[in-house]
Tab-separated table of all heavy atoms in Angstrom:
chain	number	residue	atom	x	y	z
A	299	VAL	N	78.730	99.493	84.486
A	299	VAL	CA	79.516	98.372	83.986
A	299	VAL	C	80.874	98.382	84.668
A	299	VAL	O	81.617	99.378	84.632
A	299	VAL	CB	79.694	98.466	82.460
A	299	VAL	CG1	80.537	97.308	81.927
A	299	VAL	CG2	78.331	98.491	81.765
A	300	LEU	N	81.242	97.257	85.279
A	300	LEU	CA	82.521	97.119	85.965
A	300	LEU	C	83.643	96.960	84.933
A	300	LEU	O	83.467	96.347	83.872
A	300	LEU	CB	82.502	95.919	86.908
A	300	LEU	CG	81.569	95.993	88.109
A	300	LEU	CD1	81.525	94.649	88.838
A	300	LEU	CD2	81.996	97.090	89.042
A	301	TYR	N	84.807	97.490	85.274
A	301	TYR	CA	85.982	97.393	84.404
A	301	TYR	C	86.343	95.934	84.131
A	301	TYR	O	86.623	95.562	82.976
A	301	TYR	CB	87.167	98.132	85.036
A	301	TYR	CG	88.457	97.974	84.249
A	301	TYR	CD1	88.731	98.740	83.125
A	301	TYR	CD2	89.417	97.031	84.666
A	301	TYR	CE1	89.895	98.579	82.414
A	301	TYR	CE2	90.578	96.870	83.958
A	301	TYR	CZ	90.827	97.650	82.817
A	301	TYR	OH	91.993	97.494	82.116
A	302	ASP	N	86.300	95.087	85.172
A	302	ASP	CA	86.665	93.671	85.005
A	302	ASP	C	85.709	92.951	84.073
A	302	ASP	O	86.128	92.125	83.263
A	302	ASP	CB	86.704	92.964	86.378
A	302	ASP	CG	87.854	93.484	87.258
A	302	ASP	OD1	88.796	94.022	86.671
A	302	ASP	OD2	87.776	93.343	88.484
A	303	ASP	N	84.399	93.261	84.161
A	303	ASP	CA	83.428	92.661	83.251
A	303	ASP	C	83.680	93.067	81.805
A	303	ASP	O	83.548	92.270	80.877
A	303	ASP	CB	81.999	93.056	83.658
A	303	ASP	CG	81.605	92.499	85.020
A	303	ASP	OD1	82.250	91.518	85.460
A	303	ASP	OD2	80.644	93.013	85.624
A	304	LEU	N	84.065	94.328	81.655
A	304	LEU	CA	84.349	94.841	80.315
A	304	LEU	C	85.580	94.185	79.717
A	304	LEU	O	85.607	93.806	78.544
A	304	LEU	CB	84.548	96.373	80.407
A	304	LEU	CG	84.442	97.201	79.122
A	304	LEU	CD1	83.093	97.003	78.443
A	304	LEU	CD2	84.671	98.673	79.427
A	305	LEU	N	86.606	94.025	80.555
A	305	LEU	CA	87.844	93.389	80.115
A	305	LEU	C	87.616	91.920	79.698
A	305	LEU	O	88.133	91.472	78.682
A	305	LEU	CB	88.886	93.467	81.240
A	305	LEU	CG	90.293	92.981	80.917
A	305	LEU	CD1	90.944	93.810	79.813
A	305	LEU	CD2	91.166	93.048	82.169
A	306	GLU	N	86.773	91.254	80.473
A	306	GLU	CA	86.479	89.848	80.185
A	306	GLU	C	85.667	89.718	78.892
A	306	GLU	O	85.885	88.801	78.092
A	306	GLU	CB	85.736	89.219	81.368
A	306	GLU	CG	85.480	87.722	81.174
A	306	GLU	CD	84.758	87.111	82.376
A	306	GLU	OE1	84.655	87.769	83.417
A	306	GLU	OE2	84.288	85.964	82.240
A	307	ALA	N	84.702	90.613	78.700
A	307	ALA	CA	83.826	90.534	77.524
A	307	ALA	C	84.570	90.837	76.212
A	307	ALA	O	84.281	90.233	75.181
A	307	ALA	CB	82.654	91.511	77.708
A	308	LEU	N	85.515	91.757	76.296
A	308	LEU	CA	86.185	92.196	75.050
A	308	LEU	C	87.438	91.389	74.729
A	308	LEU	O	87.901	91.413	73.589
A	308	LEU	CB	86.556	93.685	75.169
A	308	LEU	CG	85.366	94.654	75.176
A	308	LEU	CD1	85.819	96.052	75.548
A	308	LEU	CD2	84.695	94.671	73.803
A	309	LYS	N	88.023	90.723	75.715
A	309	LYS	CA	89.272	89.964	75.503
A	309	LYS	C	90.367	90.883	74.870
A	309	LYS	O	91.055	90.510	73.927
A	309	LYS	CB	89.028	88.753	74.582
A	309	LYS	CG	87.911	87.842	75.001
A	309	LYS	CD	88.191	87.172	76.344
A	309	LYS	CE	87.057	86.179	76.717
A	309	LYS	NZ	87.258	85.614	78.043
A	310	MET	N	90.461	92.071	75.401
A	310	MET	CA	91.350	93.102	74.853
A	310	MET	C	92.495	93.341	75.802
A	310	MET	O	92.370	93.147	77.025
A	310	MET	CB	90.547	94.396	74.650
A	310	MET	CG	91.218	95.493	73.885
A	310	MET	SD	90.130	96.961	73.726
A	310	MET	CE	88.891	96.364	72.560
A	311	LYS	N	93.670	93.761	75.264
A	311	LYS	CA	94.795	94.095	76.113
A	311	LYS	C	94.403	95.218	77.049
A	311	LYS	O	93.727	96.179	76.665
A	311	LYS	CB	95.993	94.497	75.279
A	311	LYS	CG	96.641	93.332	74.505
A	311	LYS	CD	97.890	93.790	73.772
A	311	LYS	CE	98.539	92.615	73.040
A	311	LYS	NZ	99.756	93.072	72.302
A	312	GLU	N	94.866	95.109	78.284
A	312	GLU	CA	94.464	96.074	79.304
A	312	GLU	C	94.883	97.500	78.961
A	312	GLU	O	94.107	98.439	79.150
A	312	GLU	CB	95.041	95.653	80.663
A	312	GLU	CG	94.365	96.315	81.837
A	312	GLU	CD	94.704	95.671	83.166
A	312	GLU	OE1	95.340	94.587	83.141
A	312	GLU	OE2	94.338	96.249	84.201
A	313	ALA	N	96.077	97.666	78.433
A	313	ALA	CA	96.576	99.016	78.109
A	313	ALA	C	95.716	99.649	76.993
A	313	ALA	O	95.381	100.853	77.048
A	313	ALA	CB	98.032	98.943	77.652
A	314	ILE	N	95.324	98.827	76.005
A	314	ILE	CA	94.506	99.336	74.920
A	314	ILE	C	93.111	99.699	75.414
A	314	ILE	O	92.552	100.728	75.031
A	314	ILE	CB	94.438	98.281	73.779
A	314	ILE	CG1	95.820	98.054	73.177
A	314	ILE	CG2	93.425	98.697	72.702
A	314	ILE	CD1	95.866	96.965	72.130
A	315	LEU	N	92.534	98.878	76.287
A	315	LEU	CA	91.221	99.152	76.839
A	315	LEU	C	91.212	100.444	77.648
A	315	LEU	O	90.301	101.258	77.539
A	315	LEU	CB	90.739	97.966	77.676
A	315	LEU	CG	89.384	98.143	78.381
A	315	LEU	CD1	88.281	98.397	77.344
A	315	LEU	CD2	89.050	96.930	79.230
A	316	LYS	N	92.228	100.630	78.496
A	316	LYS	CA	92.296	101.850	79.323
A	316	LYS	C	92.387	103.098	78.455
A	316	LYS	O	91.768	104.116	78.745
A	316	LYS	CB	93.509	101.747	80.259
A	316	LYS	CG	93.298	100.767	81.426
A	316	LYS	CD	94.533	100.771	82.339
A	316	LYS	CE	94.282	99.842	83.548
A	316	LYS	NZ	95.483	99.790	84.442
A	317	GLU	N	93.171	103.013	77.370
A	317	GLU	CA	93.327	104.150	76.468
A	317	GLU	C	91.996	104.463	75.776
A	317	GLU	O	91.611	105.630	75.626
A	317	GLU	CB	94.407	103.860	75.421
A	317	GLU	CG	94.698	105.014	74.481
A	317	GLU	CD	95.270	106.239	75.190
A	317	GLU	OE1	95.894	106.091	76.263
A	317	GLU	OE2	95.080	107.347	74.660
A	318	ALA	N	91.268	103.411	75.364
A	318	ALA	CA	89.969	103.610	74.727
A	318	ALA	C	88.969	104.234	75.680
A	318	ALA	O	88.206	105.157	75.312
A	318	ALA	CB	89.462	102.280	74.192
A	319	ILE	N	88.934	103.741	76.906
A	319	ILE	CA	88.008	104.301	77.931
A	319	ILE	C	88.334	105.769	78.182
A	319	ILE	O	87.423	106.613	78.275
A	319	ILE	CB	88.101	103.484	79.238
A	319	ILE	CG1	87.485	102.096	79.031
A	319	ILE	CG2	87.414	104.195	80.377
A	319	ILE	CD1	87.686	101.159	80.224
A	320	LYS	N	89.610	106.073	78.265
A	320	LYS	CA	90.029	107.455	78.505
A	320	LYS	C	89.540	108.381	77.388
A	320	LYS	O	89.032	109.503	77.664
A	320	LYS	CB	91.561	107.502	78.599
A	320	LYS	CG	92.130	108.891	78.844
A	320	LYS	CD	93.652	108.836	78.899
A	320	LYS	CE	94.249	110.237	79.036
A	320	LYS	NZ	95.726	110.193	79.007
A	321	LYS	N	89.652	107.934	76.130
A	321	LYS	CA	89.222	108.787	75.011
A	321	LYS	C	87.719	108.912	74.963
A	321	LYS	O	87.179	109.991	74.632
A	321	LYS	CB	89.737	108.204	73.695
A	321	LYS	CG	91.237	108.376	73.512
A	321	LYS	CD	91.671	108.177	72.079
A	321	LYS	CE	93.147	108.548	71.928
A	321	LYS	NZ	93.616	108.408	70.534
A	322	LEU	N	86.986	107.870	75.287
A	322	LEU	CA	85.521	107.946	75.308
A	322	LEU	C	85.042	108.906	76.387
A	322	LEU	O	84.062	109.643	76.190
A	322	LEU	CB	84.921	106.547	75.531
A	322	LEU	CG	85.002	105.595	74.332
A	322	LEU	CD1	84.567	104.170	74.741
A	322	LEU	CD2	84.144	106.073	73.167
A	323	ILE	N	85.726	108.942	77.531
A	323	ILE	CA	85.362	109.875	78.603
A	323	ILE	C	85.691	111.305	78.151
A	323	ILE	O	84.898	112.222	78.354
A	323	ILE	CB	86.132	109.523	79.910
A	323	ILE	CG1	85.625	108.192	80.476
A	323	ILE	CG2	85.973	110.630	80.932
A	323	ILE	CD1	86.406	107.691	81.682
A	324	THR	N	86.850	111.489	77.540
A	324	THR	CA	87.272	112.818	77.059
A	324	THR	C	86.288	113.341	76.015
A	324	THR	O	85.949	114.530	75.995
A	324	THR	CB	88.691	112.751	76.455
A	324	THR	OG1	89.587	112.249	77.432
A	324	THR	CG2	89.134	114.127	76.001
A	325	ASN	N	85.829	112.453	75.135
A	325	ASN	CA	84.892	112.859	74.073
A	325	ASN	C	83.467	113.057	74.578
A	325	ASN	O	82.613	113.538	73.836
A	325	ASN	CB	84.871	111.804	72.951
A	325	ASN	CG	86.210	111.723	72.236
A	325	ASN	OD1	87.004	112.657	72.262
A	325	ASN	ND2	86.467	110.591	71.578
A	326	GLY	N	83.216	112.663	75.836
A	326	GLY	CA	81.883	112.840	76.401
A	326	GLY	C	80.898	111.764	76.035
A	326	GLY	O	79.688	111.952	76.132
A	327	ASP	N	81.404	110.590	75.580
A	327	ASP	CA	80.512	109.483	75.208
A	327	ASP	C	80.097	108.650	76.434
A	327	ASP	O	78.989	108.093	76.473
A	327	ASP	CB	81.184	108.600	74.170
A	327	ASP	CG	81.470	109.327	72.878
A	327	ASP	OD1	80.546	110.016	72.398
A	327	ASP	OD2	82.595	109.261	72.358
A	328	ILE	N	81.010	108.518	77.393
A	328	ILE	CA	80.720	107.766	78.618
A	328	ILE	C	81.218	108.585	79.802
A	328	ILE	O	81.955	109.566	79.629
A	328	ILE	CB	81.400	106.371	78.621
A	328	ILE	CG1	82.937	106.524	78.655
A	328	ILE	CG2	80.954	105.537	77.413
A	328	ILE	CD1	83.679	105.200	78.816
A	329	ASP	N	80.810	108.193	81.024
A	329	ASP	CA	81.383	108.814	82.202
A	329	ASP	C	81.695	107.734	83.230
A	329	ASP	O	81.337	106.541	83.058
A	329	ASP	CB	80.452	109.882	82.785
A	329	ASP	CG	79.179	109.299	83.386
A	329	ASP	OD1	78.878	108.126	83.110
A	329	ASP	OD2	78.474	110.013	84.121
A	330	GLU	N	82.384	108.124	84.284
A	330	GLU	CA	82.849	107.204	85.333
A	330	GLU	C	82.376	107.741	86.679
A	330	GLU	O	83.134	108.408	87.409
A	330	GLU	CB	84.383	107.075	85.304
A	330	GLU	CG	84.932	106.013	86.206
A	330	GLU	CD	86.460	105.896	86.134
A	330	GLU	OE1	87.078	106.814	85.512
A	330	GLU	OE2	87.010	104.926	86.634
A	331	PRO	N	81.090	107.495	87.039
A	331	PRO	CA	80.560	108.024	88.300
A	331	PRO	C	81.254	107.476	89.532
A	331	PRO	O	81.358	108.145	90.558
A	331	PRO	CB	79.080	107.639	88.272
A	331	PRO	CG	79.005	106.488	87.332
A	331	PRO	CD	80.083	106.692	86.317
C-alpha cells in the first residue's frame, strides 16, 4: 500500500498518519519493505 493512497483514503492529517504508521511498525503490526 502506497503512502499517498493511504493518505487519500483516510483524509487524515499527514503528521497524525505518520505517527500512527510509526507506532504500528514499532508494535510489529505492519512493516515497510
Side-chain angles (χ1 to χ4, degrees):
V299 179
L300 294 172
Y301 174 81
D302 292 338
D303 293 341
L304 197 58
L305 186 62
E306 183 179 349
L308 291 170
K309 308 295 183 185
M310 190 179 289
K311 289 184 179 180
E312 196 166 351
I314 295 175
L315 177 59
K316 286 182 177 179
E317 183 64 26
I319 290 173
K320 179 181 176 183
K321 287 196 173 182
L322 287 171
I323 292 174
T324 303
N325 295 338
D327 297 313
I328 65 173
D329 69 345
E330 188 179 12

